[in-house]
Amino acid sequence: MAKFKINVVAERCKSCGYCIKYCPKNVLEIGTEVNAKGYEYIVAARQDDCIGCLTCGRICPDGAIEIYKEGE
Amino acid sequence: MARTFMKGSEAVAEAAVRAGCRFFAGYPITPQNEVPEYFSRRLPEVGGTFIQGESEVASINMVYGAASAGVRAMTSSSSPGIALKSEGISYCASARIPMVYANFARGGPGVGSIQPAQMDYFEATKAAGNGGFQMIVLAPSTVQEAVDLTVKAFELADRDRNPVHLLADGVIATMMEPVELPEMMPEEKVAEIRESKKNWALVGHPLDYKNRAWIQPGQWITTKMQECNEEAAAMYESWKTKDVMVEEYKVDDAEIVMTAYGISGRIAKSSVDILRNKGIKVGLIRPITLNPFPTESFEKLDYSKVKAILDVEMSIPAQYATDVEAVVRKRCPVEKCLCSGGNVMSREAVLEAVMKIAGQEA
Amino acid sequence: MAELLYSRTKTIQEDKVSGFCPGCMHSTIMKLIGEVIDEMGIIDKTAAVLGIGCCGLQMDYMAYDNTTAPHGRACAVATGLKRANPDTIYYTYQGDGDLASIGLAETVSAANRGENFTVIFVNNGIYGMTGGQLAPTTLVGMKASTAPKGRIAEEHGYPMHVCEVLDKLTAPQYLVRTSCNNPGNILKTKQAIKKAFEYQIAGKGFSLVEIVTSCPTNWGLDSLKALDFLEENMLKEYPLGVIRDKG
């Protein structure tokens, strides 16, 4: 099964929580680190559960989430 | 030069087309209804666009758009209609959009009257919209001059990337006169002018953050806004040295100097020789550009000889007179011969006013 | 080597983070428009006419041609642009105050003339940038800074349904209402925008995409509660779907 990798562009995240709400696999959660604008940016806490559906990337208003597919 | 007999409104429209104007949006308002009417026939003949906007507000904004696409564009209206356009004009000035707009002024304030007047001088030269921007303001006194100044207006607009204002009046709009029309600008030249604006015009550019077209009528960052203001202020200042246009008629030995612009200027000029035949040494300073103001014409007067200056103006209270007073600085009295509300200046009144100053009975 | 499946559209300046509030869908829509024009290969032929309000904040983030129209006048500016320069794809980007309050005449008139450009209309039921005043689309009972006791029909009239109003006009080609509140609707919004642009390219006239969104800051809710309010109230007042599609 292909592996997927979430890359959070921390500075773009505004901690709105849309991605967490709509991720079917509960991969993401609000982090504890704060970006320059003072938002606790999200982290991919359960990276391995990601199925690469791209929902988080699409729902994110600010394009803070990049999704990669790693080799077979 | 094609010589023909035309109404002022239509002559201005034809001149614009011959100067490469390919977009006009306007709204009906007396006394300049023939402008949009003429454009509605003429522009399609040259592959141009005419739109009757749903309002003056919409019309100036359509011009904002067309000019942003690099097309020579124009609108026109009359006094209250011009007031409606003031925000759009201010946006054009702020975003440095080259366009031409004409005001065929009528009685005011409010709906005023539909007959000619000169009651928009302050608006045209001091506050055509918010923010203290300026424009070169051209004031024709004949249909021929209106034609020539329309062509000039488009050149100045493109030179400066700034709106240019043609301040005429209801007489110029509705009067018919023989007029020499300029040659038609060749299509290649029209296309060349449009092409020359491609780098800044809003026509789409390859994705490149720096070189995208970005026509902004304001700035979020205040220091940037001040930079724009400073740049514009320098341009306004430069006009004073190179763009003043004024007619001085028999001023050299004049003891009484009349000053008037537009149709009043023409009526005053026609009084000069009549008065000289009565032995009164009178002359005329007639600004063709109201901004930049012809300060030099007043500075070089010999105030030991000039008894008085007579402002001839179709505006009560007077407006242009205040700028004259500011320049004359009490070196001699500034008298006024005024009418307003749509009444056209009468030569008899001018003659009477001069003779009164000269101490002679009418 | 890792293959990039999704990242933010290059039509937004790489180094920029928008000033939109957390959860604001202006940001989402700016992304979607950029993705559409990128996928259609028309970035270099597209220009935006931004209204005044939160919708106008985009000007500093977009990487392609844009201008800002006076408040309410975007449809007139776009009319001038498109008529003078038909080869470029123009869209206006306006909020409910810009389009349906001060700009209603320009909007209705451009639609009635069937002007061949696309309107992206963001309906969040409130004035955002200026701090939450009553908008033509504010729901009855919804509080606003200028309707402290909430919108009262007898005093403030009823929420305006722009697509339905424009549907009374003969000329408009495509009028559709979508939202960006969930992944499914985001894809529908993207499809609607794409279709509108396709109609414009085909010269089929006026298209308007009304996108019902939330305004967490001025609704006084966090972004997730605002989503709930959007679904329970806004989408009931403004049902999603195609109002007109001449095909």
Side-chain angles (χ1 to χ4, degrees), chain A residues 4 11-18 21-22 37 39 52 54-71, chain C residues 1-8 14 17-20 22-25 27-28 31 180-183 186-187 214 223-224 227-228 231:
Chain A
F4 298 96
E11 288 315 309
R12 292 179 188 169
C13 174
K14 293 176 183 165
S15 208
C16 73
Y18 286 174
K21 176 184 172 86
Y22 285 112
K37 287 196 171 188
Y39 294 114
L54 310 185
T55 293
C56 57
R58 290 201 181 107
I59 196 79
C60 173
D62 285 285
I65 299 173
E66 294 173 345
I67 301 113
Y68 293 85
K69 179 178 171 191
E70 288 180 342
Chain C
M1 219 290 281
E3 179 199 353
L4 176 61
L5 298 181
Y6 185 88
S7 71
R8 188 172 76 172
E14 190 54 34
V17 177
S18 77
F20 295 115
C24 175
M25 295 170 194
S27 230
T28 321
K31 219 181 58 162
C180 287
N181 61 322
N182 63 43
I186 283 206
L187 287 183
S214 62
S223 28
L224 294 178
L227 271 192
D228 299 336
E231 275 146 27

Side-chain angles (χ1 to χ4, degrees), chain B residues 19 138 147-157 164 243 245:
Chain B
L138 305 169
V147 163
D148 302 338
L149 292 177
T150 296
V151 176
K152 180 92 174 147
F154 279 102
E155 288 157 7
L156 291 170
V164 173
D243 291 311
M245 293 163 67

Side-chain angles (χ1 to χ4, degrees), chain B residues 54 194 202 204-205 213 215-216, chain C residues 65-68 84 88 90 113:
Chain B
E54 57 271 24
R194 186 170 178 167
L202 214 76
H205 290 85
I215 298 178
Q216 296 306 339
Chain C
D65 284 14
N66 65 84
T67 186
T68 304
T88 299
Y90 292 105
R113 290 190 303 263

